[in-house]
Amino acid sequence: MKSNITTPLRYLGSAQEYQINNYLSMSIKINVILIILLLCIVPTAMAQKKSKAFDSKDYALFGDKFKVTKIYTKNEMLKKYKKLKKGDTITVQFQSNIKQVCKKKGCWMKMELAGDNESFVKFKDYGFFVPLNADNSQAIVNGKAFVDVESVESLKHYAKDGGKSAAEIAKITKPEVTFSFLADGVYIKK
């Protein structure tokens, strides 16, 4: 008895069929490569994003507790300051290194901005202080940023509190425009 099942014949002579098969083969290879790349890249990007997330356990809190939301970098913060005029105030959070802390009480600090610029940070209602040895620590401040003009008298006072010599203090002879910040809370990296 003969079988009614026939095997399909494949026609191999067409140049168009060869091109289609070649295209499909390349397309599948490219898709497999793209999927493998995505599987490698996405977890790495997510891990990097998680490592940059704020964790309060890594920081000591001074002043009022605050929720860390949109943190500006020192470069972004300088741009914000440059858009302000005297009398303008913005509520922000920014992160940078502490350049200097008041050596008497820790009642003010200077934080790095882009270039040689700095932000002069005071604490709301003189209500809290930061450690005297917090120089060069990373900090996140929450509060109000504004542009101010510091008088010669204030500048000399801050220079004295900052441990400057009498000769350095004597060189202060004119008021200075400052990028000021009134913080209600500060996180300092442990």
Side-chain angles (χ1 to χ4, degrees), residues 154-173:
S154 292
L155 292 170
K156 286 185 176 190
H157 171 78
Y158 297 136
K160 183 178 178 185
D161 284 355
K164 301 287 183 192
S165 69
E168 289 174 298
I169 294 170
K171 290 180 183 176
I172 300 171
T173 59

Side-chain angles (χ1 to χ4, degrees), residues 127-144:
F128 64 96
F129 305 115
V130 295
L132 304 181
N133 64 348
D135 294 355
N136 301 312
S137 298
Q138 186 182 64
I140 301 170
V141 292
N142 182 72
K144 299 188 182 312

Side-chain angles (χ1 to χ4, degrees), residues 37 62 76 96 106 115 122 134:
L37 283 173
F62 301 90
E76 293 169 326
S96 185
K122 295 180 190 175

Side-chain angles (χ1 to χ4, degrees), residues 71-134:
I71 305 173
Y72 290 105
T73 64
K74 62 184 181 179
N75 295 334
E76 293 169 326
M77 196 61 213
L78 180 62
K79 288 178 187 173
K80 292 273 184 200
Y81 272 121
K82 291 200 174 199
K83 291 179 183 176
L84 296 175
K85 295 179 244 104
K86 186 163 173 51
D88 291 346
T89 302
I90 55 172
T91 302
V92 294
Q93 296 175 353
F94 88 94
Q95 180 174 7
S96 185
N97 288 327
I98 299 171
K99 284 177 84 171
Q100 184 182 9
V101 173
C102 169
K103 298 302 178 206
K104 288 202 174 196
K105 296 181 189 173
C107 59
W108 56 261
M109 64 184 182
K110 293 181 180 181
M111 292 184 64
E112 292 178 2
L113 294 173
D116 290 335
N117 297 291
E118 60 191 19
S119 177
F120 188 76
V121 181
K122 295 180 190 175
F123 309 117
K124 185 179 177 184
D125 299 328
Y126 208 61
F128 64 96
F129 305 115
V130 295
L132 304 181
N133 64 348

Side-chain angles (χ1 to χ4, degrees), residues 56 61-67 142 184-185 187:
S56 63
L61 174 65
F62 301 90
D64 296 338
K65 185 174 184 175
F66 60 95
K67 183 177 179 182
N142 182 72
D184 51 41
Y187 280 113

